[in-house]
């Protein structure tokens, strides 16, 4: 808890400001009643074939995302999807807040420039999709966890194993949610290494940064191979019963 407090709890005001900003920018995703084809398929599968849906996602390398899909059990009407999209916006705001803090600490830019740059992250095309499409809601939080994972590696000069383990766990959760979003880990690393005239970190730090990523990828591989047989052994692999997914 102390680790999380040092990284995110002190920025509650900035987080609220970003959340309001993105809620205004993506207001139609919150006020318009709509759903894409996969939204309806996920709702139907969650209510009738949830084990099949979770098994398919797990075998695709996204076991944490499979757990998140359970949220569709509570969706009884297409209008309920706006709450899932709000969850996605909350993740974008969290990522922008973290990146703003990261820029302030690792670049020569002024505070106002860091605030704008961080907001631009949430305006990128990929995040526009995440804000509008409920099935991608967990992806924004995967990006946030990946960024936070690198922050824990960076602020660990004594290489304390507890902090490194927590970093590995966060990145593992991010990769098990959505691998491309988890690559935000390297965006934070690149910012810390290249956004200023500071010399590159020592080889030991570079090795640790890469080792955390390697460990998280191995964790995802093991989960992808082991969980289907342990949890979904009664379901034939890749079997689909017309869920449309």
């Amino acid at each position: 808890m102390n680790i999380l407090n040092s990284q995110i709890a002190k920025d509650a005001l900035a987080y609220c400001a970003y959340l309001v900003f993105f809620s205004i920018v993506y207001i139609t995703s919150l006020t318009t009643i709509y759903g894409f084809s996969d939204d309806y398929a996920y709702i139907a599968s969650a209510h009738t074939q949830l084990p099949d849906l979770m098994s398919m996602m797990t075998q695709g390398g996204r076991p944490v995302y499979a757990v998140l899909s359970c949220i569709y059990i509570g969706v009884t009407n297409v209008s309920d999807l706006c709450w899932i999209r709000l969850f996605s916006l909350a993740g974008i705001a969290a990522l922008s807040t973290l990146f703003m803090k990261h820029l302030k600490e690792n670049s020569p830019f002024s505070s106002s420039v860091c605030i704008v740059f961080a907001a631009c992250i949430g305006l990128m095309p990929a995040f526009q999709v995440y804000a509008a499409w409920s099935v991608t809601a967990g992806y924004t939080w995967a990006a946030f966890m990946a960024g936070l994972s690198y922050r824990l590696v960076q602020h660990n000069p004594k290489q304390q194993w507890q902090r490194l383990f927590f970093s590995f766990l966060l990145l593992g959760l991010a990769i098990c949610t959505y691998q491309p979003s988890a690559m935000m880990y390297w965006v934070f690393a690149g910012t810390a290494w290249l956004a200023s005239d500071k010399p590159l970190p020592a080889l030991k730090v570079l090795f640790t940064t890469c080792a955390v990523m390697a460990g998280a990828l191995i964790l995802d591989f093991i989960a992808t191979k082991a969980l289907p047989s342990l949890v979904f052994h009664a379901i034939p692999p890749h079997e689909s019963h017309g869920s449309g997914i």
Side-chain angles (χ1 to χ4, degrees), residues 10-19 93 97 100:
K10 296 180 180 179
D11 298 294
L13 182 60
Y15 172 76
C16 291
Y18 276 121
L19 183 57
T97 303
M100 174 200 68

Side-chain angles (χ1 to χ4, degrees), residues 224-243:
T224 299
K225 297 300 181 181
L227 288 180
S229 59
L230 293 176
V231 181
F232 305 106
H233 59 277
I235 303 175
H238 303 291
E239 180 176 342
S240 175
H241 302 289
S243 64

Side-chain angles (χ1 to χ4, degrees), residues 68-219:
L68 290 176
S69 66
C70 294
I71 194 173
Y72 284 93
I73 296 176
V75 176
T76 58
N77 189 288
V78 69
S79 61
D80 295 334
L81 293 176
C82 69
W83 297 109
I84 300 179
R85 295 192 287 266
L86 178 60
F87 175 70
S88 181
L89 292 182
I92 296 176
L95 174 63
S96 295
T97 303
L98 190 67
F99 193 61
M100 174 200 68
K101 183 174 182 178
H102 191 62
L103 278 173
K104 286 182 177 180
E105 295 177 0
N106 295 280
S107 74
F109 304 133
S110 64
S111 295
S112 58
V113 172
C114 292
I115 291 171
V116 173
F117 274 6
C120 288
I121 290 287
L123 299 177
M124 293 174 64
F127 287 92
Q128 293 177 26
V129 174
Y130 300 163
W133 194 9
S134 72
V135 301
T136 61
Y139 297 176
T140 62
W141 287 101
F144 168 75
M145 288 188 292
L148 183 56
S149 173
Y150 175 76
R151 295 272 298 169
L152 296 181
V153 174
Q154 181 187 25
H155 295 278
N156 188 24
K158 297 182 180 180
Q159 300 295 298
Q160 297 174 344
W161 71 267
Q162 298 95 331
R163 194 172 273 255
L164 290 178
F165 176 77
F166 198 33
S167 173
F168 155 74
L169 184 60
L170 281 171
L171 188 57
L173 290 174
I175 290 177
C176 289
T177 301
Y178 188 56
Q179 294 87 350
S181 291
M183 295 304 107
M184 187 61 66
Y185 180 86
W186 293 117
V187 175
F188 275 71
T191 301
W193 297 343
L194 304 174
S196 69
D197 294 331
K198 297 178 182 179
L200 289 175
L203 288 178
K204 183 177 181 180
V205 175
L206 293 173
F207 174 80
T208 301
T209 304
C210 294
V212 170
M213 172 60 76
L217 289 171
I218 293 173
L219 176 65

